[in-house]
Amino acid sequence: MSTETGTERGTGRRPSCSLDDTGLVEPRLGVLGCEVDEHYRYCSARSDAWPSTRPGQEEIGGLAVLVDHILGEVGNHPQPEGFLPLTVELSLDVLVPPPWHGEVLTARARKDHDDFRATHSCAEITDEAGRLVATASAWTTYAPSHGRPALPVWTPAVEPLPLSGRPLVDMLGVTATAVGTSVELTGLRTADWTNAHGSLHGGVWAMLAEIAAADLFGSGERPLQPSHLHLAFLRPGRTDTVRMRAEQVHRGRSLGVAQVEGRDLDERVCVRGTVTARP
C-alpha cells in the first residue's frame, strides 16, 4: 500500500484530521485519516479491519465508522467559535455488497447545505477498482462549547496502526440475544469507544445497529444482509454500558426492515432508526 500523501502525489490535497490520539475509535477500525482540497475532504479505511463471524455475510458496520468520521469532519471545519459540532442524523446506503475490490475504501465528502443552525454533508465511497460501493449523508448541528477547546487539526501518521484481525463483535465485546422477532446486544464498555466529546462514538452506535439487524435477518433459508441504515442521535451515551435492540418490522423474500433503538443504563433512548436488509 502506498504511504504517499496527496500533496506528494501532486493532487493538491493536504492532510487535515482530528485523529490526534491512537486510542480513538477510528484508527482501531482501520481509518487512515483525512486529506482536503478546495472542493472535497477525502478519507480512506482498510475494509479488512472488519472480518465477519457470520457465514455468508460480510461486515459493513465498519463502513459506518468511516462515513461518520468524514462527514463529522466536514461539519467540523471550519468550527464556529464557541460551539462544538454534533452529528444528529446519519444515513448509509450500500450499493454494492461486499466483498469489494482491494483492501482500501476511499470516501469523498463535501457540504451541500450550511447555515448557522445546521450543516448537511454527503459522501461517496469507492473501492480500489473505482466502483461506487456506498453513499452516505449526515446532518451536523452546533452546541455551545462551554469553554471546551475546539477539535484539533492533525497531520495523519504515515503508517497505519496494525489491525486486530478480530471480528467486530469480539472487538466490541458484545453478546447477542434473540427473543422472538428481535435481537438485543449487550456488554459494550462505553468508555472503550468514546468520541472526542466523551460520549459513545456515533459510528459505534451504527455498528451496533448493523450487527443486531444482521443477526436478526442472517438466519433462515433466505438470509438478508443490511444495506441501508438511518440513525437519529437523540442524546449522548455516557453510562458504563449501553444496549442496542433490533425489532423486525417486515421480512419478505427481497426486503427486510428492522427498527433499531439504543438505550443507556438509565433506560433513556439515545439512538433510534431503521435498518433495511436485502438478499
Side-chain angles (χ1 to χ4, degrees):
M1 182 191 309
S2 172
T3 57
E4 293 179 315
T5 66
T7 301
E8 291 169 338
R9 291 192 301 267
T11 63
R13 301 180 196 173
R14 64 187 185 279
S16 175
C17 201
S18 60
L19 295 181
D20 60 340
D21 183 342
T22 56
L24 288 178
V25 170
E26 289 90 345
R28 287 186 282 162
L29 270 298
V31 177
L32 304 176
C34 295
E35 296 176 330
V36 296
D37 61 20
E38 60 179 321
H39 300 294
Y40 294 96
R41 176 171 291 270
Y42 305 84
C43 189
S44 296
R46 294 183 59 184
S47 61
D48 56 342
W50 321 323
S52 178
T53 56
R54 298 186 295 268
Q57 285 189 316
E58 301 283 346
E59 297 282 8
I60 66 167
L63 187 57
V65 174
L66 170 62
V67 299
D68 179 81
H69 173 71
I70 191 172
L71 293 171
E73 291 290 293
V74 169
N76 291 350
H77 301 291
Q79 187 170 313
E81 185 176 355
F83 290 86
L84 292 175
L86 300 172
T87 300
V88 292
E89 287 186 79
L90 178 68
S91 295
L92 170 65
D93 278 288
V94 178
L95 309 179
V96 177
W100 300 295
H101 291 306
E103 296 178 348
V104 176
L105 298 175
T106 299
R108 183 182 74 171
R110 62 176 174 81
K111 293 180 184 179
D112 53 14
H113 173 79
D114 191 11
D115 60 29
F116 66 94
R117 295 168 299 179
T119 293
H120 186 267
S121 306
C122 56
E124 298 177 339
I125 301 90
T126 55
D127 64 11
E128 290 187 12
R131 292 187 308 170
L132 179 66
V133 300
T135 61
S137 64
W139 281 98
T140 302
T141 190
Y142 304 98
S145 63
H146 301 298
R148 298 176 70 179
L151 296 177
V153 175
W154 172 77
T155 300
V158 172
E159 293 296 333
L161 291 178
L163 303 180
S164 73
R166 292 188 295 162
L168 291 183
V169 289
D170 294 338
M171 289 180 63
L172 298 173
V174 294
T175 299
T177 303
V179 180
T181 58
S182 69
V183 168
E184 185 167 284
L185 300 182
T186 57
L188 181 83
R189 284 174 43 87
T190 308
D192 294 338
W193 299 97
T194 57
N195 59 22
H197 306 302
S199 59
L200 185 61
H201 193 286
V204 175
W205 275 122
M207 283 198 296
L208 294 175
E210 189 274 335
I211 291 169
D215 280 357
L216 183 64
F217 292 123
S219 59
E221 294 183 4
R222 296 179 180 272
L224 305 174
Q225 179 164 305
S227 60
H228 170 79
L229 171 73
H230 178 267
L231 292 180
F233 300 98
L234 309 181
R235 55 175 55 86
R238 289 190 174 133
T239 54
D240 291 340
T241 64
V242 297
R243 61 186 178 90
M244 174 64 69
R245 183 183 183 90
E247 178 71 38
Q248 180 176 303
V249 176
H250 170 79
R251 180 166 187 167
R253 290 177 175 269
S254 60
L255 182 69
V257 179
Q259 177 177 308
V260 292
E261 187 174 86
R263 292 178 179 259
D264 63 15
L265 276 179
D266 298 323
E267 285 300 310
R268 296 177 302 178
V269 179
C270 300
V271 176
R272 179 170 285 166
T274 58
V275 177
T276 301
R278 300 180 187 277

